[in-house]
Amino acid sequence: MPEHALYRAQLREGHWFSALPEILQTTLLARASVVRLAPGQRLFRRGDPPSGLYAVVEGAMRVGAVAANGKEALLTLVEPPYWFGEISLFDGQPRTHDAFADGASTLLWVRQAELLNLLQQHPAYWRDFALLMSQKLRLAFNALEEISLLPAAPRLARRLLLMAQNYGEGEPRQVLHLAQEQLALMLALSRQTTNQILKELEAQGILRLTYGEIELLDLPRLQAAALQAGAAR
């Protein structure tokens, strides 16, 4: 059995891939290559030409932007079985962000030319890829709204819940492999503010902090914290 086919069951845990027609699932896997990245290795950078679609099957990927001075704006940290890279499939334009491996990671890669060839033969499949992009667009709009309207504490709680659900692409998980610095970058909060909110949630028994990880102990209470609209910090 080809190596990439071994990941089929894992990918089916994701809502997008599991909803695809069986023949499209099989075709994507048949055309996929396995890519292994070392910790911190760059997959692509903002401005790079479109290269295709990727699925995280081991490890995690950081998606964001790095300024010339090295300062990072982290948009998201994604884990299996998350698919990404579809924007450039639609418009053929350069990559919008940077993608780096957060620890040793393994991806499945379907090249741009392979995807375009497939879609030329089966135009109806465009809708399936549009659904992948529309899901991301909804999340982006929600994030923009939260930045504008929500105080830091409920915004942080909502992001933890989203990550626990792998941004809608998997079953809920209790342990997030996420450093506090990374969470602060995602939310455009200071490290001090982020730590203070997390310590308060830990004191309430909602989560537990360990080195490089956040364990979610009480999802219903975290959901309640996400709905609070206390005074902004």
Side-chain angles (χ1 to χ4, degrees):
M1 179 184 295
E3 183 181 9
H4 54 259
L6 299 175
Y7 296 110
R8 185 168 192 148
Q10 180 189 38
L11 292 172
R12 280 180 164 172
E13 295 176 4
H15 299 310
W16 178 73
F17 188 81
S18 64
L20 295 178
E22 189 81 15
I23 184 63
L24 181 52
Q25 292 184 19
T26 300
T27 301
L28 287 176
L29 288 176
R31 300 189 182 198
S33 302
V34 176
V35 176
R36 290 185 172 83
L37 301 175
Q41 184 176 349
R42 177 173 62 90
L43 177 64
F44 55 74
R45 180 171 290 152
R46 172 184 286 179
D48 281 356
S51 52
L53 192 65
Y54 299 89
V56 187
V57 291
E58 293 176 7
M61 295 296 296
R62 300 196 317 270
V63 180
V66 180
N69 62 4
K71 184 176 180 180
E72 181 179 11
L74 183 62
L75 296 181
T76 189
L77 181 72
V78 294
E79 298 180 281
Y82 192 90
W83 290 80
F84 66 99
E86 71 282 350
I87 293 177
S88 292
L89 171 64
F90 279 85
D91 61 13
Q93 296 299 305
R95 291 297 185 188
T96 58
H97 295 93
D98 305 310
F100 292 87
D102 190 72
S105 301
T106 303
L107 312 175
L108 295 187
W109 173 32
V110 187
R111 289 171 172 81
Q112 185 90 344
E114 293 275 6
L115 288 167
L116 292 175
N117 180 263
L118 171 65
L119 290 164
Q120 185 175 18
Q121 296 175 26
H122 304 280
Y125 288 159
W126 275 111
R127 181 179 183 276
D128 295 293
F129 292 99
L131 289 174
L132 178 63
M133 188 165 66
S134 66
Q135 177 188 0
K136 310 277 185 65
L137 189 58
R138 285 181 180 273
L139 291 173
F141 280 143
N142 288 339
L144 287 173
E145 180 181 332
E146 290 171 3
I147 289 173
S148 300
L149 301 178
L150 285 182
R155 184 150 48 99
L156 182 147
R158 289 190 183 196
R159 180 55 65 98
L160 292 179
L161 287 170
L162 267 178
M163 295 191 69
Q165 298 165 353
N166 206 16
Y167 298 93
E169 274 301 306
E171 295 301 316
R173 64 189 74 190
Q174 278 190 286
V175 178
L176 305 179
H177 303 287
L178 177 71
Q180 293 185 36
E181 292 85 354
Q182 292 174 320
L183 182 59
L185 284 171
M186 287 183 202
L187 297 170
L189 297 174
S190 69
R191 172 70 170 77
Q192 181 181 10
T193 297
T194 301
N195 178 259
Q196 183 180 349
I197 297 170
L198 289 172
K199 288 292 187 182
E200 290 173 0
L201 293 172
E202 184 175 42
Q204 297 172 42
I206 294 175
L207 53 80
R208 179 184 297 119
L209 301 173
T210 57
Y211 182 74
E213 292 184 347
I214 301 173
E215 183 180 1
L216 306 179
L217 304 175
D218 194 330
L219 285 178
R221 290 178 65 201
L222 183 61
Q223 290 169 341
L227 295 175
Q228 293 175 0
R233 293 176 183 271

